[in-house]
Amino acid sequence: SGRYILLIDEPDSHLHVTLQRNLIEEFKKIANSQLFIITHNDKFLNYIPDEEILYIDSNRKASGRIVPIAKGYKNLIIKGLSGTIERIEELRNAKKVILCEGQTDVDFLNELLRITVEFTGQELPCLFIDKLHGIDTLCDKLLSYSRAYIDIVSPDAEWLILRDSDCLPISSQSDEKKRCLGYVTATSKDILYQKGYGVESTFVSEIDKFSDLIARHYELEPAELPAIKSIIESLNRRYKSAIIAVTDPIHKELEMHFNRQKNKRPEYKKFVFRDMLLEIDETNIEYAMTKTTLDKYLMDLHQDVVGRYTVQSDALNHSTIMTFYLGSIRRVEDFYDCHKTLIDKILTS
């Protein structure tokens, strides 16, 4: 009466979910055996204790050693929120959990943090930075992440959610923030809005920094900064007029995005497009800068610069302006104030 090893490949693949638990119970009745079941079925895994799950990913294969997952990891693996087991370890040790809208935001934030460390020598706290894959259902996602992470994240960890302003009227950000934070189960939590429509539009938000950035891109002398600032201020006034002109393509582009948000997000139902438009003028034009509009704006700015100076540089766009900014930082003082505010929030205990 020796012991047996049984290997079963996806026995649940064609079973109704109500029969899967019965199948597991029947397997457990097999005496003198060690049973291995291969499955990709998240519902099937719901019936298996964490300590009986062997999670096999590329890193585990490379190490040649597979051990059961720790308690609490199953929810993360099932929801696909964590990536590798190493990422879960980062989550377990995190002092701050930072959730961004997408990969662009994550990459930008990581680079800002890297530059901060390079120029200040400041040690980063243990951070877990992940993306939410957009926020059309933000509150549901925040609740899912909170529940999935509850057995892993320290109760003392602070949660920071970095979100785009999108088409939310500026005056409504505070109320919307309070509502969304109610879905995060952590005690210490905050939502930070980008200073503009999205991360790309933040570069338009501070005119002195923006003027300096544009002058450096076109390799103009510092003495030309007042002229560049004047060009930008004039362009902002033109765009302010275009935004409120119902027949203008810029107005239509913004209205299309507003309607999309309103159709997908319940919290936008109480707003009309005019609520957003009334709060945007030439001093905060960044809140109208979708990627498409920002690309047009930067091309118009290029034409204005070319009309005054002989330059070799091409026009920037919503992607290359971010790359140029990060590559041109030579000291922490080169950061935009809104980016410094974000970094300070992350680094403050």
Side-chain angles (χ1 to χ4, degrees):
S1 60
R3 291 182 60 82
Y4 300 94
I5 294 177
L6 299 178
L7 179 63
I8 304 176
D9 185 15
E10 300 196 55
D12 53 300
S13 59
H14 299 295
L15 283 180
H16 191 279
V17 64
T18 56
L19 297 177
Q20 292 178 17
R21 178 179 290 181
N22 294 340
L23 177 65
I24 293 171
E25 294 303 320
E26 288 300 316
F27 282 147
K28 288 181 177 180
K29 294 176 183 179
I30 302 175
N32 299 321
S33 67
Q34 185 175 13
L35 179 65
F36 291 91
I37 300 174
I38 299 172
T39 183
H40 297 88
N41 188 329
D42 57 346
K43 295 181 176 61
F44 191 79
L45 287 174
N46 279 328
Y47 303 129
I48 309 296
D50 293 29
E51 60 272 15
E52 294 180 12
I53 295 175
L54 302 172
Y55 180 61
I56 303 175
D57 59 11
S58 57
N59 290 338
R60 291 296 168 280
K61 290 178 182 178
S63 71
R65 184 170 182 267
I66 299 171
V67 296
I69 64 174
K71 182 174 176 57
Y73 284 16
K74 179 171 67 175
N75 276 343
L76 294 173
I77 292 169
I78 288 175
K79 292 179 180 294
L81 300 178
S82 62
T84 65
I85 297 292
E86 285 77 15
R87 286 286 282 159
I88 301 178
E89 288 302 322
E90 289 180 24
L91 190 56
R92 181 183 291 280
N93 296 318
K95 298 299 182 186
K96 299 202 176 184
V97 176
I98 305 169
L99 300 177
C100 305
E101 285 204 29
Q103 191 60 49
T104 298
D105 303 272
V106 172
D107 293 342
F108 181 66
L109 179 56
N110 277 324
E111 188 63 9
L112 285 182
L113 290 168
R114 184 196 67 76
I115 294 170
T116 300
V117 171
E118 178 181 344
F119 286 111
T120 67
Q122 187 169 358
E123 185 176 349
L124 294 178
C126 293
L127 304 174
F128 181 86
I129 304 174
D130 206 356
K131 59 182 179 292
L132 287 165
H133 302 284
I135 57 167
D136 286 345
T137 54
L138 175 62
C139 292
D140 289 341
K141 286 185 177 180
L142 291 178
L143 187 60
S144 295
Y145 273 68
S146 297
R147 288 173 173 173
Y149 288 178
I150 194 167
D151 292 327
I152 302 295
V153 180
S154 166
D156 298 327
E158 181 182 8
W159 286 55
L160 298 176
I161 295 93
L162 179 61
R163 64 163 291 183
D164 294 345
S165 294
D166 289 321
C167 293
L168 186 68
I170 302 166
S171 61
S172 300
Q173 287 184 356
S174 179
D175 288 343
E176 178 61 12
K177 175 166 134 178
K178 290 177 185 177
R179 189 183 74 85
C180 289
L181 285 177
Y183 290 82
V184 180
T185 57
T187 302
S188 179
K189 53 194 174 181
D190 199 5
I191 290 178
L192 307 177
Y193 286 92
Q194 298 281 13
K195 183 68 168 57
Y197 193 93
V199 63
E200 299 87 357
S201 59
T202 59
F203 299 106
V204 184
S205 67
E206 298 169 27
I207 192 164
D208 288 333
K209 294 281 187 181
F210 185 42
S211 300
D212 181 64
L213 188 70
I214 293 302
R216 283 186 284 125
H217 170 68
Y218 288 106
E219 300 180 348
L220 301 174
E221 296 297 327
E224 300 302 325
L225 274 173
I228 293 298
K229 182 176 179 180
S230 178
I231 289 173
I232 292 172
E233 287 174 335
S234 176
L235 182 61
N236 287 352
R237 289 192 291 271
R238 279 155 47 195
Y239 266 68
K240 189 262 183 181
S241 297
I243 286 167
I244 61 176
V246 294
T247 59
D248 195 285
I250 294 173
H251 175 98
K252 293 178 179 179
E253 160 75 9
L254 190 59
E255 185 174 29
M256 178 188 72
H257 280 268
F258 179 87
N259 289 335
R260 176 188 173 277
Q261 305 285 358
K262 187 163 184 173
N263 290 335
K264 288 201 170 187
R265 300 186 189 179
E267 65 270 24
Y268 278 65
K269 299 298 183 187
K270 59 187 176 184
F271 301 126
V272 294
F273 187 39
R274 182 176 172 81
D275 295 330
M276 179 187 184
L277 290 184
L278 287 176
E279 297 185 1
I280 299 175
D281 58 29
E282 62 269 21
T283 66
N284 60 5
I285 203 74
E286 62 271 13
Y287 287 98
M289 290 291 167
T290 66
K291 291 184 179 69
T292 299
T293 299
L294 180 58
D295 285 347
K296 183 180 187 318
Y297 175 92
L298 292 171
M299 179 56 73
D300 288 344
L301 178 57
H302 177 75
Q303 296 299 330
D304 290 345
V305 171
V306 169
R308 179 163 183 155
Y309 301 99
T310 300
V311 298
Q312 302 300 317
S313 305
D314 294 329
L316 292 165
N317 60 42
H318 73 270
S319 178
T320 57
I321 193 171
M322 186 181 303
T323 304
F324 178 77
Y325 168 72
L326 291 171
S328 67
I329 293 173
R330 295 294 176 263
R331 53 183 186 161
V332 173
E333 287 74 20
D334 291 337
F335 281 159
Y336 274 61
D337 291 341
C338 61
H339 301 153
K340 283 194 284 189
T341 298
L342 172 60
I343 294 299
D344 289 345
K345 178 72 174 177
I346 292 172
L347 297 182
T348 302
S349 20

